[in-house]
Amino acid sequence: MGCGASSGKPVGTESQTVEPKQLTANAQLVSETQQKKSLQAPPNIIEEESDAKLQDPSSRHSAGSTRRDGTESLGGSNNIDNGGGEYKTEGPRRRSQNSVISEGGNDSMRSGTFGGRDRGAVFEPLLREHARFLVNFVAVLDRNSTSGRDKSTGAGQRQQESTFRQRAVTLQHEAIAKPKLEVRQFKSHTMDNVRVRKVCDELLHLEDTNHPLPQDSTKDNKAWMRTLQISVGKHVHCIKMNNNPEVKIGGYFLISQMLSYIRGLVSLDISSNDLRAAEARVLSLGLKTNKSVQELRMRDNSIGSEGSTSMADMLKVNDTLLLLDLRMNNIRGAGVCVLADAVSDNTTITELDMRWNYAGECSNFVELALTDLKKFTHRNMLTSLVEMYKQPPAECELPTDAPNHLRQENGESPRLSEAVTEKQDSNQQGHRSDSANTGPELSLRERPADFGLASIQGLDDSIGRLEVTILSAKNLPQVIWTAGKDGEFLGLPQAYCVFTLNKQTTQTMITKKDWSPVWMYTFSMKVREVWQVCSVKVMHSKSLHRTHRDDYTIGNVNLPVGAVINWRGVSHGADGSYRAFHRPMHAGPGTIYQSCKGKDKNGRDTDVFETEVEAAKAYDDVALKLDGEKAALNFAGDGVGEKRCLGQHVKEESFALSGEDGISVIGVQAGVPSTVRLRLKFFANRCKYLEIHLDRGSSLPKMDTGLGSCDAYCIAILGDYKFRSRVVRNSLDPEFMQTFRMAVTDETEELQLKVELWDWDRIGDDDRMGEAIVKFTPQQTEDGKLDGMYTLTAADVPGGGGGNLVKNSKGELSHLHLRFTYSGADTAGSQPAAGSGGF
């Protein structure tokens, strides 16, 4: 694919079929200068072509092709000015105008125009043809790879889609021919930041001669690009810079700047370049404003989930990228969900390759994200094909979210058989119509306002709502302040949080200067998919009363909704079974998740469970053995005593902040990462929830000899649920302040809650102090009817029916203070939440 220099002179300087006497003085000067320049062999850092390719005229990049009528194409062999955008002039005059670059360049080119036309208009035919090729190419791949893949789809629908793709591809075989591109493929390990700068300068100079070239490239001849080995007047459309890890973030910053201005580059390959999240972030900034790159290949790098977040931000605003290759980039579950969230509203991307990324762990919401990601790109591909050919095949209906102008007034899909007949009749008569010659214009930048998740789920449908409480932040770093003549200095942050989910955004108040601000801000948002991502940004404002556009981002956290819905480490399989997977704490990169084994109802060891509660218990058993007291468990408070809320469809944790480059944010305390603490509760439609609040104990007996105190903790048992509170050390009036949450199926069913009180001992078995039993129905918990103190009874008196009441040394009765909260079903939607129980 590359362009070599093995022919003895730089490619693109072959002599033209124009008589010498017709050349102007400037053209003769350029011709002589180029011949002298060809004798000076430039550094050959571009891949040489094989002899077979050099002998093939279609693979040779000539300086300009001469038409039968004596005119020449502006861009040479790629013919970028065909298809309604031709710029014609007579051969000698055109040769003269294209050669006056040796003396300062053409005025129109220095102003960024060609022949009075805008640069975007010049490259529009090439962009249209290449887009048509990529869409059809993806359609062919999709047709060959999806036969019988989705078993959930009916056979009739699969047959219709297969017929649609086959007919769309074979309708106009001329449209799927790959346009001739000027390709430059650089050899492995030859590029660095200096040469990348030269490449970027030369690419920009090809489109606008007002852009200065590197100094060493303009010594002898300004019309010759030494690094690209191409003459001014031609344009490079494809850059292959793979296997060049010596290019660092500075080089990608230059590439990003070049992408912001370039208009003729349609393909970029930077595979196997050891890209990290920081480089991906820099590239995404240039791709956000780019209007030409349609194919981007970044396989075999290490951008991770943080880098995929940057690419997702780019996909939300980019409207030209059609193919994105992110294979083998170490993208984990959160990164997959972020990409699915971005592609759901993207209207152009037709292929997003995510193979060989998500390995080792298993979560059903990530599998759903991968499935829907494929559906979104398939939707874009079908809609693009419909717009290209204007009529779908007779055997297949339009996509559900296809533009309205493609449908007939009577509501029926147009038929394609008539178009096929007309094309065949036209070919038999020895000519082709205009639409068959160049194909209808491919409009990839205009989509209806309701283009989005409609094809997967109704616009107004939601699977539930998410109640979020932004609690606090801890150990924030120093931030830069600017103050008049004092200049810049480091100081305490005035922090606030911005929370975004499903295009809904809210923010907390701005706190005064503090390393560990507290917000306690609660709000609710609707959720439409389990893979949608909660984005939390901790920001610094220079004023206390309002925010600013240039506020500094301290760090951010991305959390999929599925991580809140699922029990920790539990995944729901397609067959309805549940499994648990554990990964040791502080495990290094590449550590594989191991399957957790536990006991089934019959007491046998198994790693496949019938209920998610059994799988969650198996995870806790394995995590407690491997991680010790610091293990994060499903049914027990964490070792540091911060987990206030446990149970089903709830998550309360401190999340480490990471910067835009994917590196953890280190706070003012050296070596300790900055964190933000969140409490998230998911309320699924048609699901009822019961919350048991364990507030405190009072007047407990002394259990530790010599200390006159006790180390109390509670175990709450309700049906299959068994929660353990945190241990409160050295207190006879412990404050637990924990909540246990569970889903209930019948609000009239009588339930029995047993709360056991234990004394923790470092050596030996724990001592049982007493228990409290409450019998109730969920309806009785409304309006706080059951809130209050419950007297502890000895363990040998079931039901606490009087006698053997637990007392302290003063003869006072021991109590537990409990509260209950019951929330009925929200019937706004009908979609159940994935991985949830009790529906």
Side-chain angles (χ1 to χ4, degrees):
M1 298 295 294
C3 180
S6 59
S7 59
K9 61 180 179 178
V11 178
T13 59
E14 293 86 348
S15 59
Q16 304 295 318
T17 58
V18 182
E19 295 297 331
K21 60 182 180 180
Q22 294 177 337
L23 294 177
T24 62
N26 287 333
Q28 293 177 1
L29 178 60
V30 172
S31 178
E32 294 175 359
T33 307
Q34 290 179 350
Q35 291 178 4
K36 294 180 181 180
K37 190 70 176 179
S38 64
L39 298 179
Q40 304 174 3
N44 186 16
I45 61 173
I46 301 180
E47 290 283 2
E48 297 184 1
E49 295 181 343
S50 62
D51 295 339
K53 290 185 178 181
L54 291 175
Q55 294 174 2
D56 184 7
S58 62
S59 65
R60 183 172 301 173
H61 306 287
S62 59
S65 60
T66 305
R67 297 190 178 95
R68 295 182 179 180
D69 57 358
T71 61
E72 297 176 353
S73 62
L74 180 63
S77 60
N78 47 63
N79 292 330
I80 63 172
D81 55 345
N82 61 356
E86 295 186 354
Y87 175 79
K88 293 185 178 181
T89 182
E90 295 182 0
R93 183 178 301 174
R94 174 61 183 277
R95 176 74 176 185
S96 175
Q97 291 180 353
N98 204 25
S99 306
V100 293
I101 306 172
S102 59
E103 298 295 336
N106 189 301
D107 292 338
S108 63
M109 292 189 66
R110 282 188 295 149
S111 62
T113 59
F114 297 97
R117 300 171 57 202
D118 181 68
R119 286 184 299 154
V122 172
F123 295 108
E124 187 64 28
L126 174 66
L127 296 178
R128 185 169 58 250
E129 292 299 324
H130 191 260
R132 182 180 292 110
F133 163 75
L134 283 180
V135 172
N136 283 277
F137 175 73
V138 171
V140 172
L141 291 181
D142 188 76
R143 180 190 63 186
N144 295 333
S145 61
T146 57
S147 56
R149 181 189 60 189
D150 189 1
K151 296 182 179 180
S152 61
T153 306
Q157 182 178 353
R158 292 198 304 269
Q159 180 64 28
Q160 288 179 354
E161 293 183 355
S162 177
T163 303
F164 183 20
R165 287 187 292 269
Q166 185 175 5
R167 287 288 188 89
V169 172
T170 59
L171 173 63
Q172 293 180 342
H173 62 274
E174 301 87 353
I176 66 174
K178 186 175 182 179
K180 295 180 181 180
L181 303 177
E182 198 76 26
V183 182
R184 289 298 180 271
Q185 180 171 0
F186 299 94
K187 291 181 178 179
S188 302
H189 303 279
T190 58
M191 299 297 294
D192 54 15
N193 290 355
V194 176
R195 286 177 173 172
V196 166
R197 179 179 181 179
K198 293 180 180 179
V199 169
C200 295
D201 286 336
E202 291 176 357
L203 284 173
L204 292 174
H205 186 77
L206 290 176
E207 294 190 11
D208 185 1
T209 55
N210 193 36
H211 181 83
L213 283 173
Q215 192 171 10
D216 60 345
S217 297
T218 59
K219 291 181 180 179
D220 300 324
N221 185 10
K222 295 181 180 180
W224 179 250
M225 308 288 104
R226 289 176 54 87
T227 310
L228 290 176
Q229 299 185 13
I230 192 174
S231 59
V232 173
K234 298 181 63 177
H235 305 280
V236 177
H237 308 118
C238 178
I239 292 292
K240 294 188 176 182
M241 202 180 298
N242 51 324
N243 294 311
N244 279 281
E246 291 80 8
V247 181
K248 303 303 180 182
I249 188 171
Y252 291 107
F253 181 78
L254 296 172
I255 294 176
S256 178
Q257 287 185 314
M258 179 266 295
L259 291 175
S260 301
Y261 296 97
I262 204 74
R263 291 296 180 268
L265 188 68
V266 299
S267 179
L268 178 63
D269 189 349
I270 49 177
S271 303
S272 304
N273 281 4
D274 196 22
L275 269 69
R276 305 289 178 173
E279 288 83 356
R281 176 65 180 174
V282 169
L283 280 173
S284 66
L285 297 178
L287 290 169
K288 284 182 179 180
T289 57
N290 180 267
K291 297 297 182 182
S292 65
V293 175
Q294 299 173 347
E295 182 179 2
L296 178 61
R297 298 191 177 274
M298 299 174 58
R299 67 181 182 275
D300 196 13
N301 288 296
S302 300
I303 66 173
S305 297
E306 293 80 7
S308 65
T309 302
S310 301
M311 303 307 295
D313 293 339
M314 176 270 298
L315 289 174
K316 292 179 181 179
V317 297
N318 183 278
D319 56 0
T320 56
L321 193 62
L322 299 174
L323 189 148
L324 179 59
D325 189 355
L326 293 178
R327 290 175 289 176
M328 297 181 291
N329 270 281
N330 196 27
I331 301 176
R332 312 300 294 182
V336 175
C337 295
V338 168
L339 286 171
D341 202 357
V343 176
S344 63
D345 291 324
N346 184 279
T347 61
T348 58
I349 188 76
T350 58
E351 179 66 19
L352 179 55
D353 201 338
M354 293 287 297
R355 289 175 290 174
W356 306 314
N357 275 295
Y358 185 67
E361 54 185 315
C362 181
S363 295
N364 53 324
F365 63 89
V366 182
E367 295 174 0
L368 289 174
L370 290 170
T371 301
D372 286 349
L373 190 62
K374 185 63 178 177
K375 290 181 180 179
F376 293 139
T377 55
H378 178 72
R379 171 204 63 192
N380 293 346
M381 183 265 294
L382 289 181
T383 307
S384 298
L385 286 175
V386 170
E387 291 189 355
M388 287 167 55
Y389 303 120
K390 299 303 181 184
Q391 296 183 3
E395 295 82 358
C396 181
E397 300 294 332
L398 281 167
T400 56
D401 51 2
N404 294 328
H405 69 273
L406 298 178
R407 300 182 180 276
Q408 294 180 348
E409 296 182 356
N410 57 5
E412 297 180 357
S413 300
R415 304 298 181 182
L416 191 62
S417 56
E418 299 178 358
V420 176
T421 304
E422 292 177 1
K423 180 178 183 301
Q424 293 176 352
D425 295 340
S426 177
N427 292 337
Q428 290 176 359
Q429 295 176 4
H431 66 277
R432 293 180 296 178
S433 62
D434 294 338
S435 61
N437 186 21
T438 60
E441 211 168 296
L442 179 60
S443 176
L444 294 176
R445 303 177 185 176
E446 298 180 0
R447 291 290 189 273
D450 60 350
F451 194 95
L453 287 169
S455 62
I456 309 302
Q457 187 171 301
L459 290 174
D460 298 330
D461 291 343
S462 64
I463 62 175
R465 63 182 178 91
L466 189 68
E467 182 182 286
V468 183
T469 301
I470 302 178
L471 300 173
S472 61
K474 187 176 181 180
N475 191 36
L476 294 182
Q478 293 180 323
V479 296
I480 299 177
W481 287 83
T482 56
K485 59 182 179 180
D486 295 334
E488 297 182 350
F489 62 92
L490 296 176
L492 283 79
Q494 291 186 158
Y496 67 96
C497 280
V498 178
F499 187 94
T500 304
L501 171 64
N502 192 20
K503 298 182 180 180
Q504 307 165 86
T505 302
T506 185
Q507 71 178 44
T508 65
M509 59 177 291
I510 303 174
T511 60
K512 293 183 179 180
K513 297 179 180 181
D514 195 351
W515 301 119
S516 300
V518 178
W519 294 289
M520 300 299 296
Y521 179 61
T522 303
F523 55 91
S524 295
M525 289 185 175
K526 289 186 177 182
V527 179
R528 294 167 61 185
E529 291 289 351
V530 293
W531 43 255
Q532 286 186 318
V533 177
C534 305
S535 176
V536 184
K537 289 186 178 180
V538 180
M539 307 190 70
H540 160 70
S541 176
K542 54 189 176 184
S543 63
L544 189 60
H545 305 290
R546 67 184 184 92
T547 61
H548 307 268
R549 296 182 60 183
D550 57 346
D551 282 350
Y552 173 71
T553 300
I554 299 175
N556 59 80
V557 173
N558 291 317
L559 181 68
V561 176
V564 180
I565 297 176
N566 282 11
W567 294 91
R568 181 183 298 274
V570 177
S571 180
H572 191 189
D575 57 351
S577 62
Y578 295 88
R579 302 185 66 183
F581 299 88
H582 176 263
R583 187 186 188 192
M585 296 180 62
H586 309 297
T591 304
I592 302 298
Y593 284 70
Q594 68 176 20
S595 180
C596 301
K597 291 186 178 181
K599 301 289 185 180
D600 59 7
K601 295 181 178 180
N602 299 324
R604 294 175 298 183
D605 292 338
T606 181
D607 59 355
V608 180
F609 305 94
E610 296 182 2
T611 64
E612 57 183 351
V613 176
E614 295 176 355
K617 292 179 180 178
Y619 174 87
D620 285 2
D621 294 340
V622 175
L624 194 59
K625 292 179 181 178
L626 298 180
D627 298 332
E629 295 182 355
K630 294 184 178 181
L633 307 176
N634 290 298
F635 295 98
D638 51 15
V640 295
E642 290 185 352
K643 184 172 288 186
R644 303 288 182 176
C645 197
L646 301 171
Q648 194 167 26
H649 297 176
V650 64
K651 197 177 190 70
E652 181 178 350
E653 288 185 15
S654 293
F655 300 93
L657 296 176
S658 61
E660 295 178 345
D661 55 358
I663 301 176
S664 298
V665 177
I666 303 300
V668 65
Q669 184 179 353
V672 179
S674 303
T675 59
V676 59
R677 188 162 188 82
L678 306 174
R679 181 190 300 136
L680 304 102
K681 295 182 181 180
F682 180 73
F683 294 86
N685 297 331
R686 304 186 182 278
C687 186
K688 313 173 186 67
Y689 294 93
L690 175 66
E691 295 183 359
I692 302 171
H693 306 277
L694 176 62
D695 291 340
R696 59 189 176 90
S698 60
S699 305
L700 300 185
K702 299 178 181 179
M703 301 298 294
D704 296 334
T705 305
L707 297 177
S709 182
C710 68
D711 302 325
Y713 69 91
C714 292
I715 296 179
I717 303 174
L718 180 62
D720 294 334
Y721 299 95
K722 185 177 181 180
F723 298 99
R724 172 172 170 165
S725 73
R726 64 190 183 96
V727 179
V728 180
R729 308 292 178 89
N730 302 323
S731 178
L732 297 179
D733 297 303
E735 293 187 358
F736 301 101
M737 303 304 295
Q738 284 191 291
T739 300
F740 309 127
R741 191 171 190 255
M742 61 206 72
V744 296
T745 56
D746 188 0
E747 60 184 8
T748 62
E749 179 183 1
E750 186 178 36
L751 305 175
Q752 176 175 298
L753 170 66
K754 181 169 71 171
V755 182
E756 300 176 351
L757 184 63
W758 291 75
D759 174 59
W760 177 84
D761 291 329
R762 184 176 297 277
I763 301 176
D765 297 334
D766 298 343
D767 301 323
R768 186 170 181 175
M769 302 168 61
E771 63 183 21
I773 297 179
V774 184
K775 294 182 179 180
F776 64 96
T777 62
Q779 288 181 338
Q780 295 175 350
T781 62
E782 297 179 356
D783 302 328
K785 297 178 181 178
L786 297 180
D787 299 350
M789 298 186 300
Y790 290 86
T791 305
L792 290 174
T793 61
D796 55 350
V797 183
N804 274 352
L805 299 178
V806 178
K807 300 180 181 180
N808 63 4
S809 58
K810 298 180 181 181
E812 299 173 344
L813 294 177
S814 301
H815 298 92
L816 285 177
H817 296 255
L818 303 176
R819 291 182 296 112
F820 299 86
T821 302
Y822 175 72
S823 58
D826 183 6
T827 58
S830 59
Q831 295 284 345
S836 59
F839 289 3

